[in-house]
Amino acid sequence: MAIQCSFLPDVLCNFPAIDDTLIRAARKNIDDGFRGLVRAYGNVIDAVVQPLQWFLNYLEWLFTSTPWFVVLLVMMAVVYAASRNLKIVAGTAISMILIGVCGLWGDTMVTLAMVTVCTLIAIVIGLPIGILMARSDRLQSIINPILDVMQTMPSFVYLIPVVVIFGIGKVPGLIAVVIYAVPPMIRLTNLGIRLVDKEVLEAADAFGSSHGQKLFNVQIPLALPTIMAGINQTIMMSLAMVVVASMVGVGGLGKNTLQAINNQFFTVGFLNGFALVAIAIIFDRTSQAYGRRLQKHSEVIHG
């Protein structure tokens, strides 16, 4: 039988919570302090992110201004160089032609530019952090919980501090995507280097290799298949954030999908979703094939 709250003290029926006035005061102080910090260092923040803006704008201009057949040929050449698989090349050509026929070529190029920039930034940030984690168990124990939070926090939440600091535009969306996509790069770089056979490292030590020589000539080459898996995951997560990033001003297929959701345009949403899936499959199959080639070449298979 249920216990009636009318017979019990209030503290046993309603969970004791912090007073609303105190919460409002704390929230106001934190928000005001945050905004004051942004206003004080606004010029520094703009100067720091300006190169990202230039890089993204240049890549968008390059992808959208280049004739479509040149872009298609370059994509096919890159896919073949990485995969050595004509089926994947044919699939890439058919997918891109279907995207172009549906009138989504320009938006797809904008999305490709954004994903390319995000992936490059994630590699530049994630690779050295993963290497440092592989060298230090203590650093790994500190960074792992941070990566757990980054991977489990809802992707929309990343937009809140990013928009407060950087405002609305392409760069805030870019930064939110990088924050969401970089953890797999760090984790798999760390894992790949830790899985390198200790006997191989002992052999390198026996030949008098320095730490740098062991890292660049032994550990990174043997860890490349796992690092490639990290790059693959980073690309997939960047594509998964395309629609979320469009909420703060990033264009391309994500913007079209968001507009289709707002206006209930089923066909437009489906076509843009199809284009995103096609790009994801192209990246996934190509990077997986490249990873398998690396494994075959090194004759090392990491679990």
Side-chain angles (χ1 to χ4, degrees):
M1 189 174 74
I3 300 174
Q4 296 298 320
C5 280
S6 55
F7 299 107
L8 293 173
D10 186 61
V11 70
L12 296 180
C13 285
N14 297 314
F15 197 92
I18 301 173
D19 185 61
D20 286 345
T21 307
L22 184 60
I23 291 180
R24 278 197 297 271
R27 192 174 58 199
K28 184 176 183 305
N29 287 331
I30 293 171
D31 289 347
D32 289 346
F34 202 51
R35 292 193 191 96
L37 192 68
V38 172
R39 279 195 292 270
Y41 294 97
N43 293 333
V44 177
I45 293 171
D46 289 341
V48 170
V49 300
Q50 194 62 45
L52 288 179
Q53 181 80 57
W54 291 337
F55 186 30
L56 182 60
N57 288 344
Y58 172 74
L59 216 57
E60 277 190 11
W61 170 81
L62 182 66
F63 284 3
T64 55
S65 302
T66 306
W68 67 268
F69 65 93
V70 176
V71 175
L72 184 58
L73 289 174
V74 170
M75 279 189 71
M76 292 169 65
V78 171
V79 169
Y80 180 74
S83 66
R84 297 286 198 277
N85 188 322
L86 289 177
K87 289 182 182 177
I88 299 177
V89 176
T92 301
I94 292 170
S95 300
M96 295 305 295
I97 288 171
L98 286 175
I99 288 171
V101 168
C102 292
L104 299 172
W105 185 268
D107 293 321
T108 302
M109 292 301 105
V110 172
T111 300
L112 278 179
M114 193 273 285
V115 171
T116 303
V117 174
C118 290
T119 304
L120 291 175
I121 294 172
I123 292 172
V124 169
I125 295 172
L127 192 62
I129 295 176
I131 292 171
L132 291 174
M133 281 177 69
R135 286 173 174 265
S136 168
D137 290 337
R138 177 171 296 180
L139 187 63
Q140 179 180 246
S141 66
I142 294 171
I143 295 180
N144 264 339
I146 298 172
L147 297 179
D148 291 340
V149 172
M150 291 169 71
Q151 286 190 289
T152 53
M153 186 175 287
S155 52
F156 285 93
V157 177
Y158 290 126
L159 294 179
I160 299 171
V162 170
V163 169
V164 171
I165 296 173
F166 302 103
I168 300 292
K170 295 177 183 176
V171 171
L174 195 74
I175 292 171
V177 173
V178 171
I179 294 172
Y180 184 72
V182 77
M185 186 68 213
I186 298 173
R187 286 189 192 278
L188 288 171
T189 300
N190 173 37
L191 178 66
I193 292 178
R194 284 178 180 270
L195 287 177
V196 172
D197 197 335
K198 290 182 179 176
E199 292 181 1
V200 177
L201 296 178
E202 289 172 1
D205 286 332
F207 282 101
S209 300
S210 64
H211 288 298
Q213 288 171 326
K214 275 198 302 185
L215 176 65
F216 292 108
N217 298 333
V218 179
Q219 290 175 307
I220 289 181
L222 291 178
L224 263 182
T226 311
I227 294 173
M228 278 304 302
I231 295 174
N232 175 288
Q233 290 301 306
T234 297
I235 294 171
M236 295 301 110
M237 293 181 77
S238 298
L239 283 169
M241 278 286 285
V242 163
V243 178
V244 175
S246 69
M247 297 174 69
V248 293
V250 176
L253 297 171
K255 183 181 177 184
N256 294 347
T257 307
L258 187 65
Q259 289 175 345
I261 293 170
N262 290 333
N263 297 295
Q264 300 180 2
F265 292 153
F266 172 76
T267 307
V268 174
F270 177 79
L271 289 176
N272 283 274
F274 160 75
L276 284 170
V277 171
I279 295 172
I281 291 174
I282 292 170
F283 280 125
D284 182 61
R285 296 295 182 272
T286 305
S287 57
Q288 282 191 17
Y290 185 60
R292 284 195 294 272
R293 284 184 53 219
L294 288 174
Q295 283 183 327
K296 187 177 179 181
H297 177 71
S298 61
E299 296 184 352
V300 172
I301 299 177
H302 298 290

